Amino acid sequence: MAESPVPAELAQTVDSEIAAAQCFLAFLEREQQMLVKGEVDDLLDLVRQKNKVAAELATLAARRSRLLAASGVASDGAGIAAWFAAHPEETGTRDAWSSLLAVAAQARELNRVNGELIQERLQSNAQALEVLLGSNAAAGNLYGPDGQSAPPSTRRISDSA
């Protein structure tokens, strides 16, 4: 009986996932550096590149799921454990799977931290806008509709009483 191509294809797929996940991790690290330094000009280009790698990761994960399904197991943690139990000779693939899980955990944490950095930047920008726009109505407008300085209000405190 000829050996199924699934073990070899699964090993290749997991190796490809590791390479893509490491690339994704590098993009997340660069994103974090840019966010910390306030270098947001090139952030959009970086996000586009990161999204391409994320799409590649999704494609590879779908391929892995199909391969596991072809072996009769689910694509979840229990399924991969069952696959490894049925293929104990696949130690290289098992090691690669562990590496993939480790890189994925790093990426998940880095993505969480980047999300917090983005929230901090958004809050800072919102506060700056409030100051610029004069969110306190009592302060009045600093600039008129024509962009020129608005004269101070002629209302007196006693006028509002």
Side-chain angles (χ1 to χ4, degrees):
M1 179 172 163
E3 185 173 322
S4 167
V6 171
E9 289 177 44
L10 185 62
Q12 180 184 13
T13 300
V14 171
D15 287 342
S16 295
E17 282 184 284
I18 291 170
Q22 288 171 334
C23 182
F24 190 77
L25 188 62
F27 281 131
L28 287 170
E29 289 168 346
R30 177 67 183 130
E31 180 181 61
Q32 187 174 79
Q33 292 169 0
M34 292 171 81
L35 289 167
V36 167
K37 292 179 181 177
E39 299 171 349
V40 295
D41 293 339
D42 296 328
L43 200 54
L44 185 57
D45 185 49
L46 180 90
V47 168
R48 284 186 192 120
Q49 293 172 359
K50 187 178 74 167
N51 287 344
K52 285 181 186 177
V53 176
E56 180 184 353
L57 281 165
T59 299
L60 290 166
R63 181 187 311 158
R64 176 176 28 88
S65 292
R66 284 191 306 273
L67 291 169
L68 291 170
S71 293
V73 296
S75 61
D76 58 5
I80 194 82
W83 190 88
F84 284 128
H87 298 87
E89 71 285 357
E90 293 294 326
T91 57
T93 305
R94 183 187 307 272
D95 292 344
W97 178 252
S98 294
S99 295
L100 178 59
L101 293 178
V103 173
Q106 283 181 287
R108 201 171 15 260
E109 177 60 15
L110 203 51
N111 195 51
R112 183 193 63 76
V113 171
N114 288 1
E116 289 178 2
L117 289 170
I118 290 167
Q119 285 301 317
E120 287 176 16
R121 183 162 291 283
L122 285 173
Q123 287 175 349
S124 176
N125 288 346
Q127 289 171 346
L129 279 173
E130 285 180 24
V131 168
L132 289 173
L133 297 175
S135 65
N136 183 355
N141 291 330
L142 296 177
Y143 298 98
D146 60 357
Q148 299 299 313
S149 294
S153 173
T154 57
R155 284 183 55 189
R156 293 177 295 197
I157 294 175
S158 62
D159 290 344
S160 61

